[in-house]
Amino acid sequence: MRGIISRFAPAPTGYLHLGHVVNAAQVWGETRARGGRVLLRIEDHDRRRSRREFEAAILEDLAWLGFEADAPPVRQSERDDIYTHALDTLRRQGLVYACDCSRADVAQALRPAIAELTFHATPQLPELHYPGTCANRGLAEGPGVGLRVRLAPLVERFDDLRLGPQEQHPFEQCGDLLVRDRDNHWTYQFAATVDDHVQGVTLVIRGVDLLASTGRQIQLARLLGRADPPSFLHHPLIMKTPSQKLSKSDRDTGIRELRAAGWTPAEVIERALALI
Ligand code: GLU
């Protein structure tokens, strides 16, 4: 593979923890092994939860760990024009419609389906499949109204570099995709897909918790005009319990704390990789 570009894309909604270190070690390790470049993207699309203080701390911890990007970081909060332009591409294809459903509305509309699954003792609730409530309402856009993109019921196939051949059905999984929410925030799915396309990312390395997002991102990228999707590698996660991944609130795994306790960068990276 030539001219490989990957990215490390943390959301600045908390401090760096061992889960991020696993991802960073995989991103830099796999990309460098292929002679590629790593971009750093601050995924601060959610303005409610993102904080500059976390961003600064993440950058500082990454530098301490020795993970150096090949270009200055970009912030999603400063890429509004790029997302608006991408949205126009979808609009011109007649794929965008306004939607004022809240998450609670969607959950309510799905209640019979969820009740059925719960009855069959499914350990985790399925992700919310948007049932298309607003698809043909012709609702006007405006404050307090979100935007969705129509997805066709296609099958998306890709070869994960670790897990092998994958087949996903995005429309059945999630329904029409929310691109901007009712508070006027671009969504993760949309912003990340646009950025991966516009930044020329050819290798996406991330945790297996995002595996289900990949088919819809491939489909969305195609609608945005991307002919060849990136390659994907989904790596294992550090689990707190068999069904619960590590989160930012798990304080004992924060890089700040480990640094203060005298750990070296090499020890932190080794510890993180030993936990997966
Ligand atoms: N911002 C996402 C996260 O922190 C990563 C998204 C991605 O790699 O696609 O989990």
Side-chain angles (χ1 to χ4, degrees):
M1 288 208 254
R2 282 186 51 139
I4 288 173
I5 301 180
S6 73
R7 78 309 195 268
F8 181 68
T13 54
Y15 293 105
L16 208 71
H17 60 68
L18 287 176
H20 292 107
V21 176
V22 166
N23 182 237
Q26 299 273 341
V27 167
W28 267 272
E30 294 286 344
T31 308
R32 294 286 188 244
R34 294 168 166 83
R37 302 171 65 225
V38 180
L39 306 180
L40 183 54
R41 187 165 78 216
I42 303 297
E43 298 213 322
D44 58 351
H45 55 91
D46 183 342
R47 292 192 299 272
R48 278 163 306 218
R49 296 171 56 226
S50 299
R51 299 214 325 241
R52 280 298 170 97
E53 173 200 338
F54 290 136
E55 177 190 314
I58 288 171
L59 295 178
E60 217 259 315
D61 283 341
L62 275 181
W64 178 79
L65 286 161
F67 294 119
E68 207 183 312
D70 296 299
V74 301
R75 278 190 200 105
Q76 289 187 325
S77 60
E78 292 169 355
R79 294 167 69 78
D80 216 52
D81 290 354
I82 292 170
Y83 304 134
T84 303
H85 184 259
L87 181 65
D88 286 342
T89 305
L90 302 175
R91 276 191 207 284
R92 282 196 298 275
Q93 301 171 69
L95 296 173
V96 177
Y97 65 86
C99 168
D100 63 358
C101 294
S102 64
R103 274 187 75 79
D105 293 335
V106 177
Q108 179 72 22
L110 297 174
R111 251 176 57 178
I114 289 177
E116 170 117 334
L117 281 160
T118 312
F119 176 75
H120 287 108
T122 305
Q124 276 176 335
L125 284 182
E127 73 170 313
L128 289 184
H129 167 98
Y130 178 65
T133 317
C134 297
N136 299 310
R137 281 176 70 200
L139 195 67
E141 293 181 25
V145 177
L147 293 175
R148 289 187 184 269
V149 57
R150 293 178 205 278
L151 292 188
L154 301 174
V155 183
E156 298 295 340
R157 295 188 178 84
F158 59 96
D159 278 322
D160 184 276
L161 293 176
R162 185 176 74 92
L163 302 168
Q166 305 291 312
E167 182 178 300
Q168 296 183 359
H169 302 248
F171 181 73
E172 283 167 31
Q173 288 169 259
C174 61
D176 292 341
L177 209 56
L178 193 67
V179 297
R180 209 164 66 194
D181 71 17
R182 297 184 309 149
D183 295 325
N184 217 24
H185 293 117
W186 302 104
T187 60
Y188 156 68
Q189 300 290 352
F190 184 68
T193 305
V194 172
D195 285 338
D196 285 340
H197 178 33
V198 172
Q199 294 188 290
V201 170
T202 59
L203 176 59
V204 171
I205 300 170
R206 58 188 177 196
V208 74
D209 54 334
L210 286 168
L211 181 63
S213 290
T214 298
R216 73 197 64 164
Q217 293 183 5
I218 291 173
Q219 189 168 344
L220 181 57
R222 199 164 52 238
L223 296 173
L224 291 168
R226 181 167 191 163
D228 298 314
S231 303
F232 289 89
L233 189 161
H234 293 89
H235 58 74
L237 303 172
I238 302 177
M239 303 302 283
K240 194 159 73 171
T241 68
S243 62
Q244 230 187 340
K245 68 171 184 163
L246 202 67
S247 81
K248 289 165 181 148
S249 52
D250 298 318
R251 298 205 143 267
D252 50 332
T253 62
I255 306 314
R256 308 246 111 183
E257 284 79 5
L258 297 176
R259 285 176 68 173
W263 291 53
T264 66
E267 286 168 347
V268 171
I269 294 169
E270 197 182 315
R271 170 90 183 124
L273 292 174
L275 289 171
I276 59 174

